[in-house]
Coordinates of all heavy atoms in Angstrom, one line a residue:
N74 N 85.7 97.5 109.0 CA 84.6 98.5 109.1 C 83.9 98.3 107.8 O 84.5 98.3 106.6 CB 85.1 99.7 109.2 CG 83.9 100.9 109.3 OD1 83.1 100.8 110.1 ND2 83.8 101.7 108.3
A75 N 82.5 98.2 107.8 CA 81.7 98.0 106.6 C 80.8 99.3 106.4 O 80.1 99.5 107.5 CB 81.0 96.8 106.5
S76 N 80.7 99.8 105.3 CA 79.8 100.9 105.2 C 79.1 100.9 103.8 O 79.8 100.5 102.8 CB 80.4 102.3 105.5 OG 81.6 102.4 104.5
A77 N 78.0 101.5 103.7 CA 77.4 101.7 102.3 C 78.1 102.6 101.4 O 78.3 103.7 101.9 CB 75.8 102.1 102.6
A78 N 78.5 102.2 100.2 CA 79.0 103.1 99.2 C 78.1 103.8 98.4 O 78.4 104.9 97.7 CB 80.0 102.2 98.3
N79 N 76.8 103.5 98.3 CA 75.7 104.1 97.7 C 74.3 103.9 98.2 O 74.3 103.2 99.2 CB 75.8 103.8 96.1 CG 75.4 102.3 95.9 OD1 75.0 101.7 96.6 ND2 75.7 101.9 94.6
A80 N 73.3 104.6 97.7 CA 72.1 104.4 98.4 C 71.3 103.0 98.3 O 70.4 102.7 99.0 CB 71.1 105.3 97.6
N81 N 71.9 102.0 97.5 CA 71.4 100.8 97.3 C 72.1 99.8 98.4 O 72.2 98.6 98.0 CB 71.3 100.2 95.8 CG 70.1 100.8 95.2 OD1 69.2 101.1 95.9 ND2 70.3 100.8 93.8
A82 N 72.7 100.3 99.4 CA 73.3 99.4 100.4 C 73.0 100.0 101.7 O 72.8 101.1 101.9 CB 74.7 99.3 100.2
I83 N 72.9 99.2 102.8 CA 72.7 99.5 104.1 C 73.5 98.5 105.0 O 73.6 97.4 104.7 CB 71.2 99.4 104.4 CG1 71.0 100.0 105.7 CG2 70.6 98.0 104.4 CD1 69.5 100.3 106.2
C84 N 74.2 99.0 105.9 CA 75.2 98.4 106.8 C 75.0 98.6 108.2 O 74.6 99.8 108.6 CB 76.5 98.6 106.5 SG 77.1 98.4 104.7
Q85 N 75.2 97.6 109.1 CA 75.2 97.8 110.5 C 76.2 96.7 111.1 O 76.0 95.4 110.8 CB 73.8 97.7 111.0 CG 73.5 98.1 112.5 CD 72.0 98.0 112.7 OE1 71.7 97.3 113.6 NE2 71.1 98.9 112.1
H86 N 77.0 97.0 112.0 CA 77.9 96.2 112.8 C 78.4 95.2 111.9 O 78.5 93.9 112.3 CB 76.9 95.5 113.9 CG 76.2 96.4 114.7 ND1 76.9 97.5 115.4 CD2 74.8 96.4 115.0 CE1 76.0 98.2 116.1 NE2 74.6 97.6 115.9
G87 N 79.1 95.5 110.8 CA 79.9 94.6 109.9 C 79.1 93.8 109.0 O 79.6 92.9 108.4
T88 N 77.8 93.8 108.9 CA 76.9 93.2 108.0 C 76.2 94.2 107.1 O 75.8 95.3 107.6 CB 75.9 92.3 108.8 OG1 76.5 91.2 109.6 CG2 75.0 91.6 107.8
C89 N 76.1 93.9 105.9 CA 75.5 94.7 104.9 C 74.5 93.9 104.1 O 74.5 92.8 103.8 CB 76.5 95.4 104.0 SG 77.8 96.3 104.8
Y90 N 73.4 94.7 103.4 CA 72.5 94.4 102.5 C 72.5 95.2 101.3 O 72.6 96.3 101.4 CB 71.1 94.1 103.1 CG 71.0 93.1 104.2 CD1 71.0 93.6 105.6 CD2 70.7 91.8 103.9 CE1 71.0 92.6 106.5 CE2 70.7 90.8 104.8 CZ 70.9 91.2 106.1 OH 70.8 90.3 107.3
V91 N 72.6 94.6 100.0 CA 72.6 95.4 99.0 C 71.6 94.9 98.0 O 71.3 93.7 97.9 CB 74.1 95.3 98.3 CG1 75.1 95.8 99.2 CG2 74.6 93.9 97.8
K92 N 71.3 95.8 97.0 CA 70.5 95.3 95.9 C 70.7 96.2 94.7 O 71.5 97.2 94.8 CB 68.9 95.7 96.2 CG 68.6 97.1 96.5 CD 67.1 97.3 96.7 CE 66.7 98.7 96.9 NZ 65.4 99.0 97.1
G93 N 70.3 95.7 93.5 CA 70.7 96.5 92.3 C 72.2 96.8 92.1 O 72.9 95.9 92.1
D94 N 72.5 98.0 91.9 CA 73.8 98.4 91.7 C 74.6 98.8 93.1 O 75.5 99.5 93.2 CB 74.0 99.6 90.9 CG 73.3 100.8 91.3 OD1 72.6 100.8 92.4 OD2 73.5 101.9 90.8
G95 N 73.9 98.2 94.3 CA 74.5 98.6 95.5 C 76.1 98.2 95.7 O 76.5 97.1 95.2
Q96 N 76.6 98.9 96.4 CA 78.0 98.7 96.8 C 78.5 98.9 98.2 O 77.9 99.8 98.9 CB 78.9 99.6 95.9 CG 79.0 99.3 94.4 CD 80.0 100.2 93.6 OE1 80.0 101.3 93.7 NE2 80.7 99.4 92.8
V97 N 79.4 98.1 98.6 CA 79.9 98.2 100.0 C 81.2 98.5 100.1 O 82.0 97.9 99.4 CB 79.5 96.9 100.8 CG1 80.0 96.9 102.1 CG2 78.0 96.6 100.8
D98 N 81.7 99.5 101.0 CA 83.0 99.8 101.3 C 83.5 99.0 102.5 O 82.9 99.1 103.5 CB 83.4 101.2 101.5 CG 83.2 102.0 100.2 OD1 83.6 101.4 99.1 OD2 83.0 103.3 100.2
L99 N 84.6 98.3 102.3 CA 85.2 97.5 103.5 C 86.7 98.0 103.7 O 87.4 98.3 102.8 CB 85.2 95.9 103.1 CG 84.0 95.3 102.8 CD1 84.2 93.9 102.4 CD2 83.0 95.4 103.9
A100 N 86.9 98.4 105.1 CA 88.2 98.8 105.5 C 88.8 98.0 106.5 O 88.1 97.8 107.6 CB 88.0 100.3 105.9
A101 N 90.0 97.3 106.3 CA 90.6 96.5 107.2 C 91.6 97.4 108.0 O 92.5 98.0 107.5 CB 91.3 95.2 106.7
Y102 N 91.6 97.4 109.3 CA 92.7 98.2 110.0 C 93.0 97.4 111.4 O 92.1 96.6 112.0 CB 92.1 99.7 110.3 CG 90.8 99.6 111.0 CD1 90.8 99.7 112.5 CD2 89.7 99.5 110.4 CE1 89.7 99.8 113.2 CE2 88.4 99.6 111.2 CZ 88.4 99.6 112.5 OH 87.3 99.6 113.3
G103 N 94.0 97.8 112.0 CA 94.4 97.2 113.3 C 95.5 97.8 114.0 O 96.2 98.7 113.3
H104 N 95.6 97.7 115.1 CA 96.7 98.2 116.0 C 97.8 97.3 116.3 O 97.6 96.1 116.8 CB 96.0 98.7 117.4 CG 97.0 99.3 118.4 ND1 97.7 100.6 118.0 CD2 97.5 98.9 119.6 CE1 98.6 100.8 119.1 NE2 98.4 99.9 120.1
Q105 N 99.0 97.6 115.9 CA 100.2 96.8 116.1 C 99.9 95.5 115.3 O 100.4 94.4 115.8 CB 100.4 96.6 117.6 CG 100.8 97.8 118.3 CD 101.3 97.6 119.6 OE1 100.9 96.6 120.3 NE2 102.0 98.6 120.4
T106 N 99.2 95.5 114.2 CA 99.1 94.3 113.4 C 99.4 94.6 112.0 O 99.4 95.8 111.4 CB 97.6 93.8 113.5 OG1 96.7 94.7 113.0 CG2 97.3 93.3 114.9
V107 N 99.7 93.6 111.2 CA 99.9 93.8 109.7 C 98.8 93.2 108.9 O 98.4 92.0 109.2 CB 101.3 93.2 109.4 CG1 101.4 93.2 107.8 CG2 102.3 93.9 110.0
F108 N 98.2 93.8 107.9 CA 97.1 93.2 107.1 C 97.6 92.5 106.1 O 98.6 92.9 105.3 CB 96.3 94.4 106.6 CG 95.1 94.0 105.6 CD1 94.1 93.2 106.1 CD2 95.3 94.2 104.3 CE1 93.1 92.7 105.2 CE2 94.4 93.8 103.4 CZ 93.2 93.0 103.9
F109 N 97.3 91.2 105.9 CA 97.8 90.3 104.8 C 97.0 90.2 103.5 O 97.4 90.2 102.5 CB 97.9 88.9 105.3 CG 99.0 88.8 106.5 CD1 98.9 87.8 107.4 CD2 100.1 89.6 106.4 CE1 99.8 87.7 108.4 CE2 101.1 89.4 107.4 CZ 101.0 88.4 108.4
G110 N 95.6 90.4 103.7 CA 94.8 90.4 102.6 C 93.4 89.8 102.9 O 93.0 89.3 104.2
W111 N 92.6 89.8 101.8 CA 91.1 89.2 101.9 C 90.9 87.9 101.5 O 91.6 87.4 100.6 CB 90.2 90.2 101.1 CG 90.1 91.7 101.6 CD1 90.9 92.7 101.1 CD2 89.4 92.1 102.6 NE1 90.6 93.9 101.7 CE2 89.7 93.6 102.7 CE3 88.4 91.6 103.6 CZ2 89.0 94.3 103.6 CZ3 87.8 92.6 104.5 CH2 88.1 94.0 104.5
S112 N 90.0 87.1 102.0 CA 89.6 85.9 101.3 C 88.1 85.8 101.4 O 87.4 86.6 102.1 CB 90.2 84.7 102.1 OG 89.6 84.6 103.5
G113 N 87.5 84.9 100.7 CA 86.1 84.6 100.6 C 85.4 85.4 99.4 O 84.9 84.8 98.7
C114 N 85.5 86.8 99.6 CA 84.8 87.5 98.5 C 85.8 88.2 97.6 O 85.5 88.7 96.5 CB 84.0 88.7 99.2 SG 85.0 89.8 100.1
S115 N 87.2 88.2 98.0 CA 88.1 88.8 97.2 C 89.5 88.2 97.6 O 89.6 87.9 98.8 CB 88.2 90.3 97.3 OG 89.2 90.9 96.6
D116 N 90.4 88.2 96.7 CA 91.9 87.9 97.1 C 92.7 89.1 97.1 O 94.0 89.1 97.1 CB 92.4 86.8 96.2 CG 92.4 87.3 94.8 OD1 92.0 88.4 94.5 OD2 92.8 86.5 93.9
S117 N 92.1 90.3 97.3 CA 92.9 91.6 97.2 C 93.8 91.7 98.5 O 93.4 91.2 99.5 CB 92.1 92.7 97.1 OG 92.7 94.0 97.3
T118 N 95.0 92.3 98.4 CA 95.9 92.5 99.5 C 95.8 94.1 99.9 O 96.5 94.4 100.8 CB 97.3 92.2 99.1 OG1 97.7 92.9 98.0 CG2 97.6 90.7 98.9
A119 N 94.9 94.8 99.4 CA 94.8 96.3 99.6 C 93.7 96.2 101.0 O 92.8 95.5 100.9 CB 94.1 97.0 98.6
P120 N 93.9 97.0 101.9 CA 93.2 97.1 103.0 C 91.8 97.7 102.8 O 90.9 97.3 103.5 CB 93.8 97.9 104.1 CG 94.9 98.8 103.2 CD 95.2 98.0 102.2
H121 N 91.7 98.5 101.8 CA 90.3 99.0 101.4 C 89.7 98.2 100.2 O 90.5 98.2 99.1 CB 90.4 100.7 101.1 CG 90.9 101.3 102.3 ND1 92.1 101.6 102.6 CD2 90.0 101.9 103.2 CE1 92.0 102.3 103.8 NE2 90.9 102.6 104.2
L122 N 88.5 98.0 100.3 CA 87.9 97.1 99.2 C 86.5 97.6 98.9 O 85.7 97.8 100.0 CB 88.0 95.7 99.6 CG 87.2 94.7 98.8 CD1 88.1 94.5 97.4 CD2 87.1 93.3 99.4
T123 N 86.2 97.7 97.7 CA 84.7 98.1 97.4 C 84.1 96.8 96.6 O 84.6 96.3 95.6 CB 84.6 99.3 96.3 OG1 85.1 100.4 97.1 CG2 83.3 99.6 96.0
L124 N 83.0 96.5 97.2 CA 82.4 95.2 96.8 C 81.0 95.5 96.3 O 80.2 96.2 96.7 CB 82.2 94.3 98.0 CG 81.9 92.8 97.8 CD1 83.1 92.2 97.0 CD2 81.6 92.1 99.0
G125 N 80.6 95.0 95.0 CA 79.3 95.1 94.4 C 79.5 95.7 92.9 O 80.5 96.2 92.7
P126 N 78.4 95.6 92.2 CA 77.1 95.0 92.5 C 77.3 93.4 92.7 O 78.3 92.8 92.3 CB 76.3 95.4 91.3 CG 76.9 96.4 90.7 CD 78.4 96.2 90.8
L127 N 76.4 92.9 93.4 CA 76.4 91.5 93.7 C 75.3 90.7 93.1 O 74.2 91.2 92.7 CB 76.3 91.2 95.3 CG 77.4 91.9 96.2 CD1 77.0 91.7 97.5 CD2 78.7 91.4 95.8
S128 N 75.5 89.4 92.9 CA 74.6 88.4 92.5 C 74.4 87.2 93.4 O 73.6 86.3 93.0 CB 74.9 87.9 91.1 OG 76.2 87.2 91.0
A129 N 75.0 87.3 94.5 CA 74.9 86.2 95.4 C 75.4 86.8 96.8 O 75.9 87.8 96.9 CB 75.8 85.0 95.1
N130 N 75.1 86.0 97.8 CA 75.6 86.5 99.2 C 77.2 86.5 99.2 O 77.6 85.7 98.4 CB 75.0 85.6 100.3 CG 73.5 85.9 100.5 OD1 72.9 86.9 100.2 ND2 72.9 84.8 101.1
A131 N 77.8 87.2 100.1 CA 79.2 87.2 100.1 C 79.6 87.2 101.5 O 79.1 87.9 102.5 CB 79.9 88.4 99.4
A132 N 80.8 86.5 101.9 CA 81.5 86.5 103.2 C 82.8 87.0 103.0 O 83.6 86.3 102.3 CB 81.3 85.1 103.8
C133 N 83.3 87.9 103.7 CA 84.6 88.6 103.5 C 85.4 88.5 104.7 O 84.9 89.0 105.8 CB 84.4 90.1 103.1 SG 83.4 90.4 101.5
A134 N 86.5 87.9 104.7 CA 87.4 87.8 105.9 C 88.6 88.5 105.5 O 89.3 88.3 104.5 CB 87.6 86.2 106.1
A135 N 89.2 89.3 106.6 CA 90.4 90.0 106.7 C 91.4 89.3 107.5 O 91.0 88.8 108.5 CB 90.1 91.3 107.2
H136 N 92.6 89.2 106.9 CA 93.5 88.3 107.7 C 94.8 89.3 108.1 O 95.3 90.1 107.4 CB 94.1 87.3 106.8 CG 93.1 86.3 106.3 ND1 92.5 85.3 107.1 CD2 92.5 86.3 105.1 CE1 91.5 84.8 106.4 NE2 91.5 85.3 105.1
F137 N 95.0 89.1 109.5 CA 96.1 89.9 110.1 C 97.2 89.1 110.6 O 96.9 87.9 111.0 CB 95.5 90.9 111.0 CG 94.5 91.9 110.7 CD1 93.1 91.5 110.5 CD2 94.8 93.3 110.3 CE1 92.2 92.3 109.9 CE2 94.0 94.0 109.9 CZ 92.6 93.6 109.8
G138 N 98.3 89.7 110.9 CA 99.4 89.0 111.6 C 100.1 90.0 112.7 O 99.8 91.3 112.5
P139 N 100.8 89.6 113.6 CA 101.4 90.6 114.7 C 102.3 91.6 113.9 O 103.1 91.2 112.9 CB 102.1 89.7 115.6 CG 102.5 88.4 114.7 CD 101.2 88.2 113.8
G140 N 102.4 92.8 114.3 CA 103.4 93.8 113.8 C 104.8 93.6 114.3 O 105.7 93.7 113.5
L141 N 105.0 93.0 115.4 CA 106.3 92.6 116.0 C 106.3 91.1 116.2 O 105.4 90.6 116.8 CB 106.6 93.4 117.2 CG 107.0 94.9 117.0 CD1 107.3 95.6 118.4 CD2 108.4 95.0 116.0
I142 N 107.4 90.5 115.8 CA 107.6 89.0 116.0 C 108.7 88.9 117.1 O 109.7 89.5 117.0 CB 108.2 88.3 114.7 CG1 107.1 88.5 113.7 CG2 108.2 86.8 115.2 CD1 105.8 87.9 113.7
R143 N 108.4 88.2 118.1 CA 109.4 88.0 119.1 C 110.1 86.6 119.0 O 109.4 85.6 118.8 CB 108.7 87.9 120.5 CG 109.6 87.6 121.9 CD 108.8 87.5 123.0 NE 109.5 87.0 124.3 CZ 110.3 87.7 125.0 NH1 110.3 89.0 124.8 NH2 111.0 87.2 125.9
A144 N 111.4 86.6 118.9 CA 112.2 85.4 118.7 C 112.9 85.2 120.0 O 113.4 86.0 120.7 CB 113.3 85.6 117.7
S145 N 112.6 83.9 120.6 CA 113.3 83.5 121.8 C 113.9 82.1 121.7 O 113.4 81.3 120.9 CB 112.4 83.6 122.9 OG 111.2 82.8 122.7
G146 N 115.0 81.8 122.4 CA 115.6 80.5 122.4 C 116.1 80.1 123.7 O 116.8 80.9 124.5
I147 N 116.0 78.9 124.0 CA 116.5 78.3 125.3 C 117.2 77.0 125.1 O 117.0 76.4 123.9 CB 115.3 78.1 126.3 CG1 114.4 77.2 125.9 CG2 114.6 79.4 126.7 CD1 113.3 76.7 126.7
T148 N 117.8 76.5 125.9 CA 118.5 75.1 125.8 C 117.8 74.2 126.8 O 117.4 74.5 127.9 CB 119.9 75.3 126.1 OG1 120.2 75.8 127.6 CG2 120.7 76.2 125.2
A149 N 117.7 73.1 126.4 CA 117.2 71.9 127.3 C 118.1 70.8 127.3 O 118.7 70.5 126.1 CB 115.8 71.5 126.7
G150 N 118.3 70.3 128.5 CA 119.2 69.2 128.6 C 120.6 69.3 128.9 O 121.5 68.5 129.0
R151 N 120.9 70.6 129.1 CA 122.2 71.0 129.6 C 122.1 72.0 130.9 O 121.2 72.8 130.9 CB 123.2 71.5 128.7 CG 122.7 72.7 127.8 CD 123.6 73.0 126.7 NE 125.1 73.2 127.0 CZ 126.0 73.3 126.1 NH1 125.7 73.1 124.7 NH2 127.3 73.6 126.4
D152 N 123.2 72.0 131.8 CA 123.0 72.8 132.9 C 124.3 73.8 133.2 O 124.5 74.2 134.1 CB 122.9 72.0 134.1 CG 124.1 71.0 134.2 OD1 125.0 71.0 133.5 OD2 124.1 70.1 135.1
D153 N 124.9 74.0 131.9 CA 126.1 74.9 132.2 C 125.9 76.4 131.9 O 126.8 77.1 131.7 CB 127.3 74.3 131.2 CG 126.8 74.4 129.9 OD1 125.7 74.5 129.5 OD2 127.6 74.2 128.9

Side-chain angles (χ1 to χ4, degrees):
N74 181 65
S76 60
N79 61 19
N81 277 335
I83 188 170
C84 300
Q85 193 176 118
H86 306 308
T88 298
C89 302
Y90 294 95
V91 301
K92 65 178 181 177
D94 65 350
Q96 291 185 314
V97 173
D98 283 335
L99 303 180
Y102 59 94
H104 178 62
Q105 295 182 345
T106 59
V107 175
F108 175 68
F109 292 146
W111 300 94
S112 67
C114 63
S115 172
D116 58 2
S117 173
T118 57
H121 293 89
L122 177 68
T123 298
L124 196 66
L127 298 179
S128 58
N130 294 335
C133 302
H136 304 284
F137 298 84
L141 284 176
I142 307 291
R143 177 183 170 88
S145 60
I147 62 172
T148 61
R151 60 188 297 168
D152 58 5
D153 60 346

